[in-house]
């Protein structure tokens, strides 16, 4: 079993308090690696390394084009190591190898895209309304960035956060989830191999309340970019205000998949299943509410259940597995308790509805893919994020009612619309309060498309051109070239 330390200033550094945490393989239910349990002292060291790299040395003086070239080199290394990294992440969080391999092969595109943007961060020269004055803007790196990530897709979040941050010229301290840190630590080696100067990318591990909170509090961290639950996000938002940090939050969801009677029912059924059972439902974009038009509700429900029944549970490393384990024991209990709540509220369970008891599944953290019907919007199962393979079906009569139900949530991360009526598709894309609207598709992400949430689903956008702005501060420069006597010093000019 390998023991990992913090990665600070290009070195592997033992935790100050000499404590480590077991990292559990959720499929086997056994420890498979050990990670450092950090404390505030470790955070200080990591932030000091990141601050030094930001202000002096090769990164501080590196031309943006060179930064971009390093990022492209990293993209190549990630692609070269895609299978190995995918395997590490599967061991850590139980996601499917089939999905992770694809994700890691695509992952390099974020570094290529933002590497290409590194030397296109342009200010503007303003036609200023003052005589004999020249004025322009500069966009400068915001500073040291603290990146806090969730356990469900640690490496994807690194790309989303660190590629624009490094393109902007920032340095980063990453704090991955205590449940899935190993892939991020392995990734650090690739940045070294690509040639990033020491201190540009640092990783500290440990518990959120201890090491994460210390990073949020640290006065030399200029920005926190966070992916996780809305409860933690709210705490971080409030805490970061004490030191006036910039904050970006990628939080949870209760996304609706809205199926109209005029759609291609088989495609929609496949989209609904991929929205809720892929990644064992442990994704922020899970389409956990199926809103289906009453005229096809019975027929469509039958198709969704039939497809859901084909989902094979098993070893996440196996190519034919569709449903892997739940990542943590606490999450497993949470999903089961929501299933009980749904039953007690009167929702009708028509698939699954409990733990999977197959003795061939060793770690024990498997939940049956579950579908509830006769769900109403006031039930907790329709309002709260479960983060598991649990689908709630709600009927609607017409477009107006579909929109009302879809938007009747504190969340606003994503929504799916299934219809062959293009006018309706466009109308729905305008009125749904969600950061992403998918039409006749679901769970499709690209480095080119801004991603993020409205309402309680977050603040800010990752990916796409606008992501880089979140890592820049605008500076206005005004220069006088006036000749003659000095201006009146007692009035504004
Ligand atoms: P979480 O909020 O428990 O933890 C996220 C990270 O924050 C971890 O690294 C954790 O150690 C750290 N943390 C916890 N408490 C902290 C504190 N007080 N101060 C600083 N850091 C702290 O979330 P999770 O359980 O790891 O992930 C699941 C959640 O993430 C779900 O709600 C899901 O919807 C959300 N998520 C959102 C997105 C998105 O892009 N919108 C993507 C994936 C997951």
């Amino acid at each position: 079993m390998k023991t990992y330390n913090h990665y600070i200033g290009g070195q592997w550094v033992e935790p100050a308090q000499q404590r480590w945490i077991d990292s559990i393989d959720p499929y086997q239910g056994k420890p498979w690696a050990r990670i450092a349990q950090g404390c505030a002292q470790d955070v200080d060291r990591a932030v000091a390394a990141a601050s030094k790299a930001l202000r002096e040395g090769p990164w501080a003086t590196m031309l943006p084009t060179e930064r971009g070239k390093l990022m492209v080199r990293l993209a190549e290394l990630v692609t070269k190591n895609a299978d190995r990294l995918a395997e590490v992440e599967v061991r850590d969080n139980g996601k499917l190898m089939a999905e992770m391999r694809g994700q890691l092969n695509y992952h390099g595109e974020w570094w290529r895209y933002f590497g290409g943007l590194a030397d296109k961060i342009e200010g503007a020269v303003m036609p200023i309304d003052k005589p004999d004055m020249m004025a322009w803007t500069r966009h400068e790196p915001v500073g040291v960035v603290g990146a806090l990530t969730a356990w469900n897709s640690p490496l994807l979040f690194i790309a989303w956060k660190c590629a624009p941050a490094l393109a902007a010229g920032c340095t980063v301290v990453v704090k991955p989830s205590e449940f899935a840190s190993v892939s991020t630590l392995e990734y650090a080696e690739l940045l070294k191999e690509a040639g990033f100067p020491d201190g540009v990318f640092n990783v500290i591990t440990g518990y959120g309340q201890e090491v994460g909170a210390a990073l949020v509090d640290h006065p030399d961290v200029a920005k926190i970019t966070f992916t996780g639950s809305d409860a933690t996000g709210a705490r971080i938002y409030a805490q970061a205000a004490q030191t006036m940090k910039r904050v970006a939050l990628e939080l949870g969801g209760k996304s609706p998949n809205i199926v109209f009677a005029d759609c291609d029912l088989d495609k929609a059924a496949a989209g609904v299943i991929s929205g809720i059972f892929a990644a064992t439902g442990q994704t922020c974009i899970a389409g956990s509410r199926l809103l289906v038009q009453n005229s096809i509700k019975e027929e469509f429900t039958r198709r969704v259940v039939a497809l859901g029944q084909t989902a094979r549970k098993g070893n996440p490393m196996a190519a034919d597995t569709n449903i892997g384990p739940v990542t943590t024991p606490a999450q497993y209990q949470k999903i089961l308790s929501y299933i009980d709540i749904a039953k007690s509220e009167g929702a009708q369970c028509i698939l699954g509805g409990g733990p999977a008891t197959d003795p061939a599944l060793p770690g024990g953290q498997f939940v049956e893919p579950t579908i509830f019907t006769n769900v109403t919007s006031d039930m907790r199962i329709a309002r709260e994020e479960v983060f598991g393979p649990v689908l709630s079906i709600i009927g609607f009569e017409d477009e107006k009612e579909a929109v009302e139900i879809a938007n009747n949530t504190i969340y606003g991360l994503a929504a799916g619309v299934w219809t062959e009526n293009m006018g309706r598709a466009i109308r729905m894309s305008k009125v749904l309060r969600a950061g992403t609207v998918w039409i006749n598709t679901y769970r499709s992400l690209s480095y080119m498309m801004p991603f993020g949430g409205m309402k309680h689903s977050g603040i800010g956008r990752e990916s796409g051109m606008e992501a880089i702005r979140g890592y820049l501060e605008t500076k206005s420069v005004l220069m006088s070239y006036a000749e003659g006597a000095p201006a009146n010093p007692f009035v504004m000019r």
Side-chain angles (χ1 to χ4, degrees), residues 148-152 157 160 175-178 206-209 212-213 216 226-230 232 235-236 239 250-253 284 385 387 413 451 457:
L148 295 155
T149 58
W151 41 260
N152 62 330
F157 305 143
W160 289 9
K175 207 303 278 175
S177 165
E178 54 272 36
Y207 295 113
Q209 299 87 328
V216 176
F226 169 83
T227 296
S229 63
D230 52 324
T232 309
R235 199 171 311 137
I236 286 174
Q239 203 180 326
E250 291 289 349
L251 310 175
C284 53
E385 187 185 44
F387 216 59
L413 192 59
F451 178 83
S457 290

Side-chain angles (χ1 to χ4, degrees), residues 245-256:
K245 286 185 175 52
R246 282 76 184 115
V247 177
L249 304 170
E250 291 289 349
L251 310 175
K254 195 74 204 174
S255 301

Side-chain angles (χ1 to χ4, degrees), residues 161-239:
K161 295 174 189 312
C162 298
L166 298 194
C170 298
T171 57
V172 294
V173 177
V174 182
K175 207 303 278 175
S177 165
E178 54 272 36
F179 300 112
S181 292
V182 179
S183 56
T184 303
L185 292 158
E186 288 283 344
Y187 199 86
E189 293 276 17
L190 298 185
L191 276 104
K192 190 159 183 99
E193 194 180 335
F196 282 88
D198 293 346
V200 171
F201 182 86
N202 307 275
V203 184
I204 44 165
T205 58
Y207 295 113
Q209 299 87 328
E210 196 173 15
V211 84
L215 189 61
V216 176
D217 279 339
H218 204 290
D220 295 337
V221 173
K223 171 163 179 150
I224 289 290
T225 170
F226 169 83
T227 296
S229 63
D230 52 324
T232 309
R235 199 171 311 137
I236 286 174
Y237 196 21
Q239 203 180 326

